[in-house]
Amino acid sequence: MAKVTLQTIADRLGVSRATVSYAFSRPDQLSDDLRRRVLQVADELGYAGPNAAARSLRLGRAGAVGLLFSETLAYAFADPYALGFFQGLATAAEEAGVGLLILPLPRGEQHTPPVRDAVVDAFCVMSLPDGHPALAEVLSRRLPVVVVDEPYVPGHPFLGIDEPAAGARAARHLIELGHRRIGVAMVGLHADGRTGWADPDRQRGAVFEAMRERRSGYESACVSAGVDWASVPFYELGRNSRAAGREAGHALLQRTPRPTAILANTDVLALGILDAAADLGLDVPGELSVVGFSDSAAEEAGLTTIRQAKQEIGAAAGRLLLEPPDEPERLLFPHELIVRASTAPPPP
């Protein structure tokens, strides 16, 4: 059976193709009777309406923004920080009457067809590693682009926090309590999925800019306090999950001498470290202090953490996408140390 098009309907009715198109896209341009006849014939022929993608391209407006990030969709909807950001971005899109097209890029994935073929008016890029080909593909589209967290792209709006300062504040909290035997559990340094001990060279060579800077904040605070960073046990994870945090916790807490405090770069990992401490019968915070990051699902567990304005960042990203500024802005949102029951001075 031949494909039914606008021209098929026009030929059947003896009208122009534009007249048929108006029945779907600009009904105010036709009389009620003519529009009713067009829709009746379209229904008889099984024509549901113009192709939305093609129509958007002709009009130069897709009515949607694309969100590109370096994880699977299943992971994103299970991650508290990502969910908070999504809520802020989706709210801004809803208020503007546009849709949100989510384009996940699982870590290690180098293909870019979703970016090339996406029918969108703008892109929000969130947490891509340095040099990812999808970013080059996005920029080649010459649409408005906003980057969140990483990487910083000169000439385009950027939203995030002062990562080195936030990392240093988390580490300094432990140091001010008197801790000197500090361990680190961190996800998001590399895209290769590796799990295990990371030496200083691998830490500094991280391909995710925000986590590289957060780690540098940990290091600077420790070095300023006279803690030898090379002696700080550093366990990296390939996935941000509570199970991964538990694994890191066991690895760190089996060392001799055992750390009296652990810095985790996400609250999800920190919760897993609390699980490991419970497995080993360690009192928190009497024998072990734990600090997380982002204040996502941390309050109920009594977790000390760094709070980020995740929903506010998402909403601001949406506004900048829909109303691009004349000059690109680098917006750094405030962060705050939230002290709860998971930190205390080290045991004597």
Side-chain angles (χ1 to χ4, degrees):
M1 180 181 292
K3 181 180 178 181
V4 178
T5 66
L6 292 175
Q7 190 62 53
T8 307
I9 301 169
D11 293 342
R12 172 72 67 88
L13 287 166
V15 298
S16 69
R17 184 181 180 282
T19 297
V20 178
S21 177
Y22 284 166
F24 292 95
S25 61
R26 301 176 64 185
D28 59 305
Q29 299 297 305
L30 304 180
S31 68
D32 291 343
D33 180 63
L34 179 54
R35 182 170 187 264
R36 186 164 49 249
R37 286 195 292 129
V38 170
L39 296 179
Q40 180 180 347
V41 171
D43 184 61
E44 291 171 357
L45 295 175
Y47 182 73
N51 179 274
R55 178 172 175 269
S56 297
L57 291 171
R58 285 197 302 273
L59 295 177
R61 179 175 174 79
V65 295
L67 169 61
L68 190 70
F69 62 96
S70 60
E71 271 298 351
T72 64
L73 198 56
Y75 167 84
F77 282 110
D79 179 70
Y81 173 76
L83 273 179
F85 172 81
F86 287 179
Q87 288 171 355
L89 181 60
T91 298
E94 281 183 342
E95 290 175 350
V98 302
L100 180 61
L101 178 63
I102 301 179
L103 302 167
L105 286 174
R107 296 203 175 198
E109 178 63 66
Q110 298 296 308
H111 299 297
T112 63
V115 177
R116 231 176 10 246
D117 302 335
V119 183
V120 296
D121 296 308
F123 281 102
C124 177
V125 174
M126 181 184 183
S127 297
L128 286 190
D130 298 343
H132 197 288
L135 180 58
E137 192 73 45
V138 164
L139 298 178
S140 74
R141 297 279 305 269
R142 300 191 180 279
L143 295 171
V145 175
V146 171
V147 179
V148 176
D149 289 345
E150 56 200 340
Y152 174 63
V153 181
H156 295 278
F158 174 89
L159 294 85
I161 64 171
D162 187 336
E163 294 285 358
R169 186 68 194 93
R172 197 160 56 244
H173 170 64
L174 294 174
I175 291 166
E176 289 169 351
L177 288 172
H179 292 277
R180 292 298 181 272
R181 297 205 310 269
I182 298 172
V184 176
M186 198 159 197
V187 66
L189 289 177
H190 294 271
D192 57 12
R194 181 180 179 275
T195 290
W197 301 108
D199 62 24
D201 286 341
R202 183 167 172 86
Q203 296 168 32
R204 285 190 288 268
V207 298
F208 284 91
E209 181 181 357
M211 298 305 100
R212 188 169 66 237
E213 292 187 344
R214 192 175 300 179
R215 185 218 64 88
S216 75
Y218 292 160
E219 179 181 10
S220 66
C222 287
V223 170
S224 296
V227 176
D228 177 19
W229 184 255
S231 69
V232 172
F234 192 110
Y235 200 83
E236 69 169 312
L237 289 310
R239 296 291 290 173
N240 182 36
S241 68
R242 191 158 179 164
R246 193 175 208 153
E247 175 187 344
H250 277 283
L252 288 162
L253 295 172
Q254 287 171 6
R255 294 180 65 93
T256 302
R258 188 177 69 214
T260 62
I262 296 177
L263 289 162
N265 75 317
T266 74
D267 289 340
V268 173
L269 291 185
L271 294 176
I273 291 166
L274 294 179
D275 293 338
D279 293 341
L280 299 171
L282 295 176
D283 178 66
V284 176
E287 296 174 280
L288 175 70
S289 288
V290 179
V291 178
F293 207 103
S294 85
D295 200 25
S296 303
E299 185 172 2
E300 185 176 341
L303 180 66
T304 295
T305 187
I306 296 290
R307 175 177 290 166
Q308 296 185 85
K310 43 194 175 294
Q311 285 182 284
E312 290 85 348
I313 293 175
R319 289 192 295 271
L320 288 173
L321 283 172
L322 298 165
E323 298 181 20
D326 294 332
E327 295 293 332
E329 302 177 62
R330 184 181 175 96
L331 300 178
L332 296 182
F333 286 72
H335 61 271
E336 180 184 4
L337 175 70
I338 305 297
V339 178
R340 297 193 179 102
S342 69
T343 51

